[in-house]
Amino acid sequence: MGGGDLNLKKSWHPQTMKNIERVWKAEQKYEAERKKIEELQKELRQERAREEMTKYAEETGAINSSWNKNIFAEL
């Protein structure tokens, strides 16, 4: 009689190539999104740290605010 696993012919079966590929693509998309979010968070932390250092330098008199504005205007 018919051989083989009938479940492999079902569209919902997790071992079909189509479903394995779908899961793999979803995992790749998730990983890329996670890396993008991590990079954005890192940039945000760096920007905040730079702003804090600049603010502290202005408060202590190490630099004046016009110097700070000129530097960032060039960027």
Side-chain angles (χ1 to χ4, degrees), residues 10-68:
K10 305 294 182 182
S11 63
W12 47 263
H13 194 271
Q15 289 182 342
T16 60
M17 254 334 232
K18 184 178 178 182
N19 289 336
I20 292 172
E21 181 181 358
R22 186 180 302 146
V23 169
W24 181 81
K25 285 181 180 180
E27 288 172 348
Q28 295 298 314
K29 183 178 178 182
Y30 170 78
E31 192 65 27
E33 185 70 21
R34 186 185 64 77
K35 287 181 180 180
K36 181 180 176 183
I37 290 171
E38 283 181 4
E39 184 65 29
L40 290 173
Q41 288 174 339
K42 180 181 174 184
E43 288 177 13
L44 183 61
R45 283 191 303 271
Q46 289 174 343
E47 185 177 335
R48 285 182 180 166
R50 184 175 51 240
E51 288 175 359
E52 287 177 15
M53 286 188 287
T54 303
K55 183 178 178 183
Y56 179 74
E58 287 176 1
E59 289 174 356
T60 59
I63 61 171
N64 58 27
S65 60
S66 63
W67 179 82
N68 184 28

